[in-house]
Amino acid sequence: MLNPPDVSTRRWDVIVIGTGMGAATAGYALAKAGKRVLFCEKGKSSLGQSGALRGQYAEQFFDRCEAPSAKYRDVLSRAGRYYSEIEDRSSGRSTKFIPFIGSTTGGSTALYGMALERFFPCDFSPRQNYPDAPANTLPQRWPVSYDEFLPYYELAERLYRVRGGIGALREGVKPQYRPPSPAMSPPGQELFDFLQKRGLHPYRLPQACEFVAGCEGCMGYLCAHDCKNDSARVCLEPALREFGAELLDECEAVKLMATRHEVTAVECVQRGQTMTLRADIVVLGAGALATPKLLLDSASPEWPNGLANDSGMVGRNLMRHYADLYAVFTNTKQRTAGNPKEISFNDFYLSDGKKFGSVQSFGMLPPTPLIAASIAQDLHDDGLRWAVAPFNLIRPAVIPLLDWVFSRATILVGIMEDLPYPDNQVTVHAGNGHGTQLSLTYTLRDYDKARIKAFRAMIGTVLKPYRFMRIKQAENNQRVAHVCGTCRFGLHAEDSVLDRNNKAHSLSNLYIVDASFFPSSGGTNPALTIAANALRVAANLCDAAPNQR
């Protein structure tokens, strides 16, 4: 086990900040290539830790049915969850919340539903998909093409042992590695057959899952069955065990010290003790909220607006996906044990010249109190403010009924692409105690409200005549599980933070590999694209082509 004096006196080839999909994947590839790699993870390690809460949501250990708050910091930490409050300043008044994202070894992949979908070729030329969208910052194209990503998609799928289908709408795509998934549940098969009869193109959702006995999908909590192929299991553990990498957990990077041309040190705090770390290369993968915060907190005389922020784009262009849940009541009532995250279809990804997104199985629902809170918010958003207070009064009695209802439903999620706008952003300001407070501002445009309405109508039409309950989440700024875009890459230093190789403009040794780099959000799960890009960045750093690895 490393101790602070040992760490502070050593110079590393690479310091990797974070252990999520981008950070752990890049760090693993660099360690495998012979680099001396140090991982710094803000959260508590769950690698072999008996104190970790596995197989259950953190909310099941709360004193009462309520939203996560600072008083549950220890429980959230042990469950691998983010535990710091974020301030939402979007509505003109301050609202604080704790987002449902990961903070442990594996980052948010420790909680994810393991859906690893490729982006479509059209995602790499985003502006053409929204010719009439006003005031956004969509580029004509990504600085790296789909064809350049393709070999790294294949590498990432093999690395994360992805199982499942590819979808008939992905013409010409034949993965070199794609083992089959187990048979679907009776309700899942019924819904699959129904969608096919409606003329759609459902397929088995690709997942980084081993489907061992007892697998439940572990959506939203730490896996208890050694089944989830998250970035800790697939990349971090082998990097530590086989390739000499080291890990500091409960170690938060609070500032990057830099000249105008390179990062010279990383200031961290581990369990109350401050230390200074040094490396030839710094790879930042703390997530699309924490990464811009760290850069803004690293302002200095050389970088008065925040590190790597000559363009003013650090923290801007925040995207989070518009997602709604659909509880579908199939005719088949039989519920079998197993992973309920089974199917997907992309028939609405591009429809009649308009781009929306994907529909797929959601898996296990979040705790019912959170769903009840969403229903109350829906009443408020739909203008029924008079109904919110009565609903909140009866909510404790409604929760057991909702539990019973949702246990009989198959849950789908519609994931719709949102667009980048410069005033949707992450900012920092002075906190009540030490350090700064992370804030976000996110305004839903009328253009996107109309797209959400149209997407909901399309999904609702295709699900008829099934009975279903729509649980609106798209308008809720607290749903940031797919947050991206806050340190975009691009061809020009004037309107981006990173170059095409994910290196910060004007800094020779700072790279960002989490979803911050996305210049557009795509219409499906981002994790595979993050992993593929991390492998691409690592290969460039090691000057190795994909077929040489």
Side-chain angles (χ1 to χ4, degrees):
M1 178 66 69
L2 292 172
N3 59 64
D6 292 337
V7 175
S8 298
T9 57
R10 292 173 63 178
R11 185 173 182 89
W12 306 86
D13 293 331
V14 185
I15 292 174
V16 180
I17 300 173
T19 58
M21 183 60 92
T25 304
Y28 163 80
L30 292 167
K32 186 177 179 181
K35 304 291 186 183
R36 293 170 299 165
V37 175
L38 174 66
F39 291 97
C40 297
E41 168 57 51
K42 176 183 176 181
K44 183 178 295 187
S45 174
S46 58
L47 303 179
Q49 299 295 317
S50 58
L53 301 177
R54 298 183 177 276
Q56 299 180 79
Y57 281 98
E59 284 79 358
Q60 294 170 266
F61 299 90
F62 288 3
D63 297 332
R64 52 185 292 186
C65 294
E66 59 183 327
S69 63
K71 71 179 181 179
Y72 294 115
R73 174 180 175 136
D74 180 64
V75 171
L76 291 167
S77 176
R78 291 170 58 206
R81 295 265 292 276
Y82 194 85
Y83 49 77
S84 300
E85 287 184 331
I86 292 177
E87 185 176 15
D88 182 1
R89 294 184 164 189
S90 306
S91 62
R93 66 181 189 276
S94 173
T95 303
K96 292 185 178 181
F97 70 99
I98 294 179
F100 203 124
I101 55 178
S103 183
T104 184
T105 42
S108 286
T109 70
L111 310 176
Y112 78 159
M114 301 172 284
L116 293 189
E117 290 269 33
R118 301 181 184 191
F119 277 8
F120 282 77
C122 66
D123 290 316
F124 290 79
S125 301
R127 180 165 287 279
Q128 68 180 9
N129 303 315
Y130 302 98
D132 58 343
N136 66 78
T137 59
L138 285 170
Q140 291 291 342
R141 60 188 60 84
W142 282 32
V144 180
S145 70
Y146 176 83
D147 287 341
E148 289 177 273
F149 257 83
L150 191 55
Y152 297 104
Y153 272 140
E154 293 172 350
L155 277 175
E157 287 169 345
R158 290 201 299 272
L159 178 62
Y160 280 86
R161 301 190 289 279
V162 177
R163 300 170 182 265
I166 193 67
L169 298 180
R170 296 181 182 272
E171 296 181 4
V173 177
K174 295 181 179 179
Q176 297 177 4
Y177 178 87
R178 189 61 68 85
S181 302
M184 284 190 286
S185 67
Q189 188 65 58
E190 179 191 328
L191 195 54
F192 186 96
D193 295 341
F194 168 80
L195 293 170
Q196 279 193 324
K197 290 177 182 178
R198 294 297 304 266
L200 302 180
H201 301 81
Y203 59 97
R204 193 63 191 266
L205 182 68
Q207 286 186 279
C209 183
E210 299 297 341
F211 295 99
V212 303
C215 173
E216 298 176 342
C218 294
M219 178 76 169
Y221 49 84
L222 300 179
C223 180
H225 300 287
D226 199 25
C227 184
K228 181 183 292 188
N229 290 333
D230 59 21
S231 63
R233 176 182 181 178
V234 170
C235 291
L236 179 61
E237 287 189 277
L240 301 176
R241 183 179 63 248
E242 301 174 25
F243 304 118
E246 299 281 4
L247 168 69
L248 294 174
D249 73 330
E250 298 184 87
C251 179
E252 181 179 7
V254 295
K255 186 174 183 179
L256 303 181
M257 290 168 276
T259 67
R260 275 297 303 175
H261 304 294
E262 68 174 352
V263 176
T264 56
V266 180
E267 183 179 309
C268 298
V269 177
Q270 185 187 41
R271 304 181 186 100
Q273 184 168 353
T274 300
M275 66 183 84
T276 300
L277 310 175
R278 291 176 173 80
D280 295 337
I281 295 170
V282 175
V283 174
L284 184 49
L289 296 176
T291 283
K293 180 182 186 298
L294 177 57
L295 295 179
L296 294 172
D297 283 341
S298 300
S300 66
E302 290 80 12
W303 295 93
N305 298 318
L307 187 63
N309 197 26
D310 282 339
S311 65
M313 290 291 107
V314 169
R316 295 188 180 274
N317 303 300
L318 170 69
M319 297 170 282
R320 59 171 178 79
H321 278 160
Y322 305 125
D324 292 322
L325 304 180
Y326 295 80
V328 183
F329 301 96
T330 58
N331 297 320
T332 305
K333 302 304 180 186
Q334 178 184 354
R335 286 290 173 267
T336 55
N339 185 342
K341 201 168 175 66
E342 298 178 308
I343 64 176
S344 182
F345 62 93
N346 294 310
D347 296 81
F348 305 143
Y349 211 85
L350 280 172
S351 178
D352 295 328
K354 296 184 181 297
K355 189 162 185 278
F356 295 97
S358 61
V359 182
Q360 59 187 235
S361 302
F362 183 76
M364 303 291 287
L365 274 174
T368 306
L370 295 184
I371 300 300
S374 293
I375 294 172
Q377 185 64 49
D378 290 346
L379 295 173
H380 183 277
D381 293 341
D382 289 341
L384 303 177
R385 292 175 176 83
W386 55 269
V388 175
F391 179 84
N392 283 333
L393 287 174
I394 66 170
R395 184 162 54 181
V398 169
I399 285 172
L401 176 60
L402 290 176
D403 278 332
W404 180 82
V405 169
F406 294 139
S407 72
R408 299 172 63 83
T410 297
I411 312 300
L412 301 179
V413 58
I415 301 172
M416 196 181 86
E417 179 171 27
D418 60 341
L419 309 185
Y421 300 95
D423 57 341
N424 285 348
Q425 62 180 317
V426 173
T427 57
V428 297
H429 63 277
N432 294 328
H434 299 291
T436 58
Q437 172 77 49
L438 175 64
S439 301
L440 65 83
T441 303
Y442 188 98
T443 303
L444 190 59
R445 267 58 174 189
D446 289 340
Y447 178 85
D448 299 302
K449 291 178 182 178
R451 292 175 54 236
I452 291 169
K453 183 177 180 180
F455 194 38
R456 285 171 175 165
M458 296 165 75
I459 296 173
T461 297
V462 81
L463 290 178
K464 292 179 180 178
Y466 282 124
R467 293 179 297 114
F468 66 89
M469 177 186 293
R470 181 188 293 118
I471 305 165
K472 295 180 182 178
Q473 303 284 283
E475 293 89 350
N476 190 338
N477 283 352
Q478 296 184 19
R479 303 296 180 254
V480 294
H482 289 178
V483 63
C484 61
T486 50
C487 295
R488 57 165 45 189
F489 74 165
L491 296 175
H492 307 292
E494 295 78 18
D495 59 10
S496 60
V497 179
L498 310 172
D499 66 16
R500 73 185 310 273
N501 294 320
N502 286 66
K503 184 184 73 66
H505 295 301
S506 302
L507 290 163
S508 64
N509 64 341
L510 177 63
Y511 294 79
I512 297 177
V513 294
D514 53 42
S516 300
F517 86 90
F518 284 25
S520 59
S521 67
T524 191
N525 312 69
L528 184 67
T529 299
I530 298 170
N533 183 69
L535 292 172
R536 183 185 69 89
V537 172
N540 287 332
L541 283 170
C542 296
D543 194 26
N547 59 6
Q548 295 176 307
R549 295 187 58 74

